[in-house]
Amino acid sequence: METRILGGTGLEVTVMGIGAGGPSRIGQSAGKSDAESIAIVREALDAGITCIDTAEAYGTEAIVGEAVRGRDRGSYVVSTKKSTGRQITRADVRQSLEASLKRLRMDYVDIYHLHGVILEDYEHLAAEIVPEMLSLRDEGKIRFLGITERWNDDPGHAMAQRALQDDVWDVMMVGFNLLNQSARERVFKQTIAKNIGVLVMFAVRRALSQPAKLVEVLDTLIARGQLDPADVDRDDPLGFLVRDGHAASLPDAAYRFCREEPGTHVILSGTGSLEHLRENIASFHRPPLPPGIRQRLVEIFAHSDSVTGQ
Ligand SMILES: NC(=O)c1ccc[n+]([C@@H]2O[C@H](COP(=O)([O-])OP(=O)(O)OC[C@H]3O[C@@H](n4cnc5c(N)ncnc54)[C@H](OP(=O)(O)O)[C@@H]3O)[C@@H](O)[C@H]2O)c1
């Protein structure tokens, strides 16, 4: 599997990363056993994937910890996150990190993010919480600082744009997919200039894995004047990608679309299904989408900045 250097962190990571959150939570949302979820992460690691994302909020840290047990600590990169839904304190972040490390059974995490940050909370977090994260980094419990957007509430990246004005973030987790490519101009230009590592979330989500959901999202974009109805066939939206042999499936096209985007390093993929995991690994081994097809997708969704594919 292709590897990349995660911006200024210097960490070498595979282009496909495992997301232990999202709608699937590696199967936990569908009632899978811990053993089944552990098997998914282990199969990903055995296939050479070296980056795993979890969070205190997902309830999957212990599963990730068990899945990596016995492997060389330097052979994978783990990112986890501190929830930020209220005015958290320095003590909260320290306590949360200690609890995450315990669940993960690790001495340190590679990337520790503030999770789902909205613009309204950013100033408090930057002034009060970042200094504590820097102390935790100095103590060796965190290697790099990260921040993630609450993309469903902020599909136009207002928080990320504010965060980019500061020089503390080593890594950012950014919402990006073929239905909303607004991060290209609003985030990636700056992350490239600042050499910030980028983890992409929402590459597929529901809209690019469930046809009915896709129609709903396209109708929303049409109603908002962000998509020309002549550009999509409502009876078979984006069907040309598979019909004309450019991709094996819509998720396949979606992951490969994100992978080629300049400025992205790791494309997170979330699944609770071993079959989907295997398909997704195969996608990351395929060549890029043909340039003309990619350009067509860029043009179709050029004005979209208000949906996430949730
Ligand atoms: N604010 C934040 O910090 C934030 C927010 C969202 C996500 N994240 C992180 O980003 C990661 C990636 O996001 P995501 O989990 O939404 O991932 P995703 O890969 O964009 O989408 C996952 C969805 O697609 C389905 N899927 C995956 N592969 C498929 C395939 N081959 N065929 C059909 N359906 C497929 C999954 O269902 P199945 O289980 O049925 O495969 C699931 O519903 C998360 O796991 C989490 O770690 C962070």
Side-chain angles (χ1 to χ4, degrees), residues 45-120:
L45 291 163
D46 289 343
I49 291 166
T50 61
C51 184
I52 312 164
D53 176 63
T54 180
E56 66 175 358
Y58 299 161
T60 54
E61 287 177 321
I63 289 170
V64 170
E66 180 59 25
V68 298
R69 198 150 64 95
R71 290 177 197 250
D72 174 5
R73 181 64 186 89
S75 67
Y76 56 85
V77 166
V78 165
S79 98
T80 191
K81 319 189 195 73
K82 165 68 193 151
S83 306
T84 61
R86 60 192 171 86
Q87 291 254 310
I88 56 168
T89 65
R90 286 178 171 222
D92 287 336
V93 76
R94 180 167 287 272
Q95 226 169 28
S96 279
L97 178 65
E98 295 293 355
S100 288
L101 290 173
K102 208 166 161 191
R103 285 188 292 269
L104 287 161
R105 290 193 264 175
M106 292 173 190
D107 301 327
Y108 67 90
V109 289
D110 300 279
I111 308 160
Y112 196 53
H113 300 267
L114 294 179
H115 191 174
V117 177
I118 50 172
L119 185 60
E120 291 76 358

Side-chain angles (χ1 to χ4, degrees), residues 17-27 30 32 52-55 58 79 81 113-117 147-152 173 176-177 200-206 208-210 249 251-252 255 267-280 283 310:
I18 289 299
S24 301
R25 293 167 51 244
I26 40 175
K32 294 231 159 135
I52 312 164
D53 176 63
T54 180
Y58 299 161
S79 98
K81 319 189 195 73
H113 300 267
L114 294 179
H115 191 174
V117 177
I147 189 163
T148 82
E149 312 177 283
R150 196 179 305 167
W151 206 36
N152 284 319
M173 191 179 294
F176 179 77
N177 58 39
V200 166
M201 58 183 178
F202 283 75
V204 165
R205 207 64 177 192
R206 291 191 172 98
L208 293 160
S209 60
Q210 300 172 15
S249 66
D252 175 61
Y255 287 127
I267 313 303
L268 292 170
S269 169
T271 183
S273 147
L274 271 177
E275 191 189 334
H276 288 169
L277 174 73
R278 289 169 191 153
E279 286 172 16
N280 299 343
S283 292
Q310 165 76 355

